Amino acid sequence: MFDKVLIANRGEIAVRVIRACQDLGVRTVAVYSDADRLSPHVLVAGEAIRIGPAPATESYLQADVIIEAAHRTGAQAIHPGYGFMAENAEFARLVEEEGLVFIGPPAAAIAAMGDKTAARRRMIDAGVPVIPGSESLDDVAQAVSAGDRIGWPVLLKAVAGGGGKGMRVIEAAGDLPRALEAARREAGQSFGDPRVYVEKYLLDPRHIEIQVLADSKGCVIHLGERECSIQRRHQKLIEESPSPAVDADLRARMGHVAVAAARAVGYVGAGTVEFLYQDGEFFFLEMNTRIQVEHPVTEFVTGVDLVQEQLRVAAGEPLSVQPNADWPVGHSLECRISGEDPFHGFLPSSGRITSLQVPCGPGVRWDGGIVEHFDVGLHYDPLLGKLIVHAADRDQAILRMRRALRELQIEGVRTTQPFHLAVMDEPDFRAGDISVRYLERHPGLVESGGADWHARAAAVAATLLEHRGRRGGSGISVDVGTLAPAGSQVGMSEWRRRFRPEDLA
Ligand code: MV4
């Protein structure tokens, strides 16, 4: 095992990786920008090195500065987390050239999956079902004949894209001349590669992905699926494992295909094979060559520490786990708690965390990147932390998530917490009837109203109960449980300050 690892990231994932290192007896080096001088990942790491000013392009994306920090501290390996340079094949190559270990797949595997049409070709060769589609398109005529062959509508995608950026739905051939031109320009600007291609547009799919682990000895396993359909503008909001749509037979088939996909690109490490699932059929979408935000739900239902396995295989050790016929054990849900106002278009919210109480108790995990007095800025991804629960089945996991969301109190910034509470009570979600269009179908979930009222009612109830206790008194009886702080936007403590029992005569 490594003696010391540098974590080239920030926030909750940097903390998560540091914890895995500590659990393996590996020393850690954090890197930080000026905005993160007092951030949790800096506070929990063995040592920390400043890498530049707040903007990511001048800090967390500075490959040479980060590699230099590894050399200076004697770290033998670099863990990139997710985002930033996690799927940058050039960075992975540079790290290796510098005599360090990149904790992730070989650069060639990252590059193979980064080019979406090349990835589709390799997947077809490996027997992986892909969505009917085209090669990279040179002109409108090619695009039209591809659409005629595949069937309309089609989805125009960037070859160097992924994650939904720059996609366009094309209803009919007549829309192509303008759309193709615009898409090429946009792809060129976003990815430095103007090439685009089309796929048959699936109207109402689920996003289901398979977690894989591979070691350098040729062992490749899968750890079942995650359902990630509940998202907004390609940002996932809620994930779970298992998927309500997947039974043991489908899991085995998707798992088998995901393992074949990983083998086809010589994969080593933790990776995710994404599929779209519709009408009983599943199709390869893309492969994410990193640890993912939602990895904890898989950890809960398998008992495997995915980050520890990443460290093991990067150090040349074999995987410490074998596929288990009992997986998945129970059910796990994750809610992403981000500093965004769900009732105002998920507008990023900044400010100082004035109060933070994280949930605990049976089956609850909080992976966070904030502490009290921490300043949430607008320089980086708004994810503040993740609330993950595990219970015997999906119904109990939903109840547990509801309980944990009520225990969570973040004051100082607006967060997505009240949105998640609303989803936990929404009948279609409770029935597992979800797809990538879930939010589109439930616009009420992101409409304002209710949240402040709940917080106020809870504060009033709590104040009254306290008052009654003091007087040994009578009168009102309120079940505070049913009025618990429902993701208050103002904050319980603020309401408690404002309300006195004598005002409520
Ligand atoms: C699709 C699709 C329908 N048909 N491809 C969005 C993210 C990117 N990874 C691919 N995405 C999609 N590709 C075809 N041929 C629908 C989506 C899609 C989606 C996929 C996963 C999760 C959420 C999504 C939300 C909207 C659209």
Side-chain angles (χ1 to χ4, degrees):
M1 184 44 64
F2 306 113
D3 179 52
K4 195 189 271 190
V5 167
L6 182 142
I7 298 90
N9 214 302
R10 64 177 304 283
E12 70 86 18
I13 193 60
V15 174
R16 169 71 188 89
V17 173
I18 291 166
R19 285 176 170 150
C21 290
Q22 290 170 341
D23 289 348
L24 287 168
V26 173
R27 293 188 289 166
T28 55
V29 181
V31 295
Y32 64 94
S33 73
D34 290 339
D36 280 327
R37 206 168 53 88
L38 299 171
S39 287
H41 75 282
V42 172
L43 305 179
V44 298
E47 21 184 339
I49 296 222
R50 179 187 176 274
I51 49 169
T57 49
E58 296 171 48
S59 49
Y60 298 103
L61 293 170
Q62 293 276 355
D64 46 347
V65 176
I66 288 169
I67 288 167
E68 172 58 27
H71 285 316
R72 234 171 48 215
T73 53
Q76 296 129 356
I78 298 182
H79 195 302
Y82 53 68
F84 295 135
M85 293 191 287
E87 292 179 278
N88 183 328
E90 225 167 289
F91 177 66
R93 206 166 276 136
L94 196 59
V95 169
E96 301 282 344
E97 278 169 17
E98 288 282 333
L100 301 164
V101 176
F102 178 77
I103 302 176
I110 301 177
M113 288 301 184
D115 180 313
K116 303 302 166 190
T117 47
R120 284 169 52 85
R121 278 195 298 276
R122 294 183 80 145
M123 292 304 108
I124 292 166
D125 290 344
V128 173
V130 303
I131 304 170
S134 74
E135 284 293 326
S136 146
L137 301 163
D138 296 322
D139 53 46
V140 174
Q142 266 186 15
V144 170
S145 76
D148 284 340
R149 176 173 57 84
I150 297 162
W152 306 90
V154 294
L155 192 59
L156 201 51
K157 295 185 174 186
V159 171
K165 253 193 283 180
M167 298 189 329
R168 270 188 170 70
V169 180
I170 313 293
E171 297 290 343
D175 302 338
L176 265 173
R178 297 186 66 223
L180 190 64
E181 196 43 47
R184 288 182 67 90
R185 196 172 45 242
E186 218 176 274
Q189 277 163 11
S190 298
F191 311 113
D193 179 351
R195 290 176 301 153
V196 295
Y197 70 106
V198 290
E199 280 177 6
K200 181 170 184 59
Y201 181 52
L202 305 182
L203 292 178
D204 194 21
R206 287 175 181 252
H207 173 127
I208 299 174
E209 57 188 31
I210 299 276
Q211 176 71 52
V212 298
L213 278 175
D215 64 24
S216 57
K217 328 272 177 207
C219 177
V220 186
I221 67 168
H222 79 87
L223 295 92
E225 80 283 5
R226 293 184 288 258
E227 160 91 57
C228 309
S229 293
I230 300 199
Q231 51 76 47
R232 178 185 175 272
R233 302 203 177 158
H234 310 305
Q235 293 297 317
K236 294 167 186 165
L237 296 166
I238 299 174
E239 305 96 345
E240 60 186 303
S241 185
S243 163
V246 175
D247 61 14
D249 171 65
L250 180 57
R251 180 172 304 119
R253 287 188 288 132
M254 289 179 90
H256 183 80
V257 162
V259 166
R263 283 194 189 284
V265 293
Y267 206 82
V268 179
T272 299
V273 183
E274 295 188 344
F275 296 97
L276 290 182
Y277 174 78
Q278 184 179 288
D279 306 325
E281 282 187 293
F282 64 89
F283 304 95
F284 171 84
L285 190 57
E286 50 193 69
M287 182 168 186
N288 299 320
T289 55
R290 58 169 192 269
I291 191 77
Q292 288 196 276
V293 177
E294 60 270 27
H295 76 275
V297 296
T298 300
E299 296 190 321
F300 255 146
V301 297
T302 61
V304 174
D305 187 312
L306 292 168
V307 182
Q308 282 191 24
E309 294 304 321
Q310 283 190 298
L311 288 156
R312 284 200 182 90
V313 303
E317 296 177 17
L319 289 174
S320 80
V321 289
Q322 289 185 340
N324 185 328
D326 294 337
W327 291 345
V329 176
H331 199 99
S332 179
L333 280 169
E334 172 177 278
C335 290
R336 298 189 184 191
I337 309 297
S338 62
E340 296 173 309
D341 183 346
F343 305 124
H344 293 94
F346 287 76
L347 190 75
S349 176
S350 61
R352 175 160 297 184
I353 304 290
T354 52
S355 165
L356 174 66
Q357 285 180 63
V358 303
C360 39
V364 174
R365 168 172 167 183
W366 168 256
D367 274 22
I370 55 170
V371 284
E372 259 177 29
H373 312 303
F374 176 78
D375 286 311
V376 177
L378 300 172
H379 285 290
Y380 313 109
D381 185 281
L383 187 67
L384 303 175
K386 306 174 315 204
L387 190 47
I388 312 109
V389 300
H390 185 222
D393 59 32
R394 190 170 187 271
D395 288 341
Q396 293 181 61
I398 291 172
L399 286 173
R400 186 160 272 173
M401 180 60 85
R402 208 216 265 149
R403 184 261 290 176
L405 282 163
R406 284 173 169 178
E407 284 183 27
L408 174 67
Q409 291 193 39
I410 301 176
E411 293 184 19
V413 294
R414 295 190 175 223
T415 77
T416 50
Q417 179 191 8
F419 162 80
H420 290 297
L421 264 166
V423 175
M424 294 305 127
D425 285 338
E426 195 284 311
D428 285 341
F429 177 78
R430 296 190 74 124
D433 185 7
I434 55 182
S435 76
V436 301
R437 311 191 92 140
Y438 176 79
L439 230 58
E440 218 177 292
R441 293 213 171 93
H442 299 89
L445 291 169
V446 292
E447 275 159 20
S448 189
D452 279 342
W453 187 89
H454 277 290
R456 179 179 159 179
V460 169
T463 309
L464 277 171
L465 281 175
E466 230 173 58
H467 187 65
R468 189 182 66 168
R470 269 204 298 276
R471 291 194 318 196
S474 56
I476 208 160
S477 172
V478 184
D479 178 358
V480 180
T482 62
L483 289 170
S488 160
Q489 295 293 310
V490 172
M492 270 287 277
S493 53
E494 178 56 27
W495 282 114
R496 297 285 299 269
R497 271 193 295 278
R498 287 186 205 177
F499 279 86
R500 295 166 305 169
E502 42 277 34
D503 296 334
L504 296 166

